Amino acid sequence: MIFRQLFDPQSSTYTYLVADAASRDALLIDPVFEQARRDAALIEELGLKLRFTVETHVHADHITGAWLHKQKLGSRIAVSAASGAEGADLYLQPFEKIPLGRRHVEARGTPGHTGGCMTYVLDDRSMAFTGDTLFIRGCGRTDFQQGDAHALYRSVRSQIFSLPDHCLIYPGHDYRGLTVTSVGEEKLYNPRLAESIGENDFVGYMKHLGLPHPKQMDIAVPANLKCGRPDKTTTLDPDWAPLTYTFGGIWEVQPHWLEEHLREVQIVDVREPDEFNGPLGHVPGAVLIPLGTLSERCGAVSKDKPVVTVCRSGARSAQATVLLGKAGFDKVANLSGGMLRWRAQRFAVEGGID
Ligand SMILES: N[C@@H](CCC(=O)N[C@@H](CS)C(=O)NCC(=O)O)C(=O)O
Ligand SMILES: [Fe+2]
């Protein structure tokens, strides 16, 4: 299996990428709208095919990236039939299996945090994705979206604590930075739901949580009931060049594109002067602004023309794109592979030696 735990710091949401290494088929559990680009880059870089996005429930605190991934990667949207969401491709019933190459993930109905919550269990019962039904030493609130503390208690007992003690639990959120727990651990130490705690004690605990509603609730719930499809569809990706977005968060342009469009962009070389004038040479028309001086000298770069940053290998120039982005430049990309790749592909240089 290939497995990655991804985090959205805005809503403290975990997104899980689970893939079958043999077939490269992948699922993304609880993707976040604002992180769709990052997640798509990772999926691409790992050479995976996103078959499904899978929701643990209709979220109240963030918008799902399900619809965006469907547009970008052709994935199908899976939600619980009890969620009430429209626009999905697969409406899951309890115990339904979601295929993952030769493996699968089983959906279990775990209502309580919301009426349509589901927990997803890997076929060998080594991992369970519990959404907001069970957190690390906690659980999701039960005071909105058909929340029901009695139902949550019973869901945890019958559908999660019935898994093997060694089964790892991956929650939908953690607000303290913890990442994973296990069934055995939660049965012993969950302060609300440990095996020693009775149903009425739990219900009493949940009645008095007194939490304010999530800040995004009025926007998130209606959007998630449409699987994250925006009312107005706008293009989120830059269109001035066929850019690629890396998992590291950098927009990149390939050397062959730059070679054909040299006059349409400003090329900012962020190496030191001795490198700029050294044996590798520089891209024709490039302006030298060493990375260390870029913050104070970025006034010399026009905001009206796209900027391509260049260095030796593409590392310093990647940092330069971030710096320029912060300075208000919105059309910036890094030359992928820097001067080394530019030279390896035999594109023209000014200066330098063969
Ligand atoms: N402050 C957060 C609150 C998020 C929240 O209420 N999260 C729900 C899950 S969607 C929950 O169950 N939280 C439990 C808790 O905070 O103890 C926000 O505004 O988004
Ligand atoms: Fe939630």
Side-chain angles (χ1 to χ4, degrees), residues 10-11 57 59-61 113 132 135 139-141 144 173 175 192 209 211-216:
Q10 204 65 39
S11 60
H57 62 292
H59 307 280
D61 58 342
H113 169 61
D132 298 359
F135 291 159
C139 65
R141 61 199 290 170
F144 51 65
H173 300 283
Y175 300 101
R192 306 179 187 180
L209 278 185
L211 295 168
H213 276 186
K215 292 183 286 296
Q216 291 297 313

Side-chain angles (χ1 to χ4, degrees), residues 121-198:
V121 181
L122 191 60
D123 50 11
D124 61 4
R125 307 210 296 176
S126 61
M127 287 179 173
F129 303 93
T130 53
D132 298 359
T133 303
L134 184 62
F135 291 159
I136 303 168
R137 308 294 191 270
C139 65
R141 61 199 290 170
T142 52
D143 55 339
F144 51 65
Q145 291 178 290
Q146 306 90 47
D148 179 339
H150 288 281
L152 191 140
Y153 184 91
R154 290 172 198 170
S155 291
V156 169
R157 292 298 153 109
S158 67
Q159 303 300 320
I160 301 174
F161 284 180
S162 55
L163 291 164
D165 280 354
H166 61 77
C167 176
L168 295 176
I169 304 275
Y170 289 96
H173 300 283
D174 189 89
Y175 300 101
R176 296 186 295 159
L178 305 172
T179 53
V180 61
T181 181
S182 69
V183 168
E185 224 176 299
E186 293 307 313
K187 275 182 173 166
L188 277 177
Y189 299 117
N190 191 298
R192 306 179 187 180
L193 286 154
E195 277 190 321
S196 56
I197 298 171

Side-chain angles (χ1 to χ4, degrees), residues 271 274-282 339-340 342-344 346-354:
R271 292 175 296 166
D274 58 337
E275 296 176 272
F276 185 81
N277 299 311
L280 281 177
H282 49 261
M339 283 310 295
L340 290 177
W342 182 265
R343 289 294 305 243
R346 309 215 154 272
F347 294 122
V349 291
E350 268 172 15
I353 45 175
D354 282 328

Side-chain angles (χ1 to χ4, degrees), residues 265-270 286-290 293-309 320 323-325 327-333:
V265 299
Q266 307 171 82
I267 300 162
V268 177
D269 193 315
V270 299
V287 176
L288 174 66
I289 309 182
T293 66
L294 186 59
S295 295
E296 71 242 36
R297 289 178 55 199
C298 66
V301 184
S302 161
K303 284 191 171 144
D304 300 333
K305 218 173 176 188
V307 182
V308 174
T309 59
L323 221 142
L324 289 169
F329 291 81
D330 54 7
K331 290 180 182 165
V332 188

Side-chain angles (χ1 to χ4, degrees), residues 20-78:
D20 171 37
S23 64
R24 314 307 288 176
D25 284 356
L27 302 178
L28 201 53
I29 300 173
D30 286 340
V32 172
F33 191 91
E34 288 79 7
Q35 303 292 352
R37 203 180 266 159
R38 174 201 67 183
D39 298 351
L42 179 62
I43 288 163
E44 209 156 293
E45 288 175 11
L46 295 179
L48 303 174
K49 291 167 282 194
L50 187 65
R51 298 299 186 196
F52 286 100
T53 56
V54 186
E55 302 296 323
T56 56
H57 62 292
V58 172
H59 307 280
D61 58 342
H62 69 271
I63 299 175
T64 172
W67 180 87
L68 273 183
H69 285 296
K70 180 174 172 158
Q71 303 311 302
K72 206 171 160 68
L73 303 176
S75 48
R76 301 174 71 210
I77 300 173

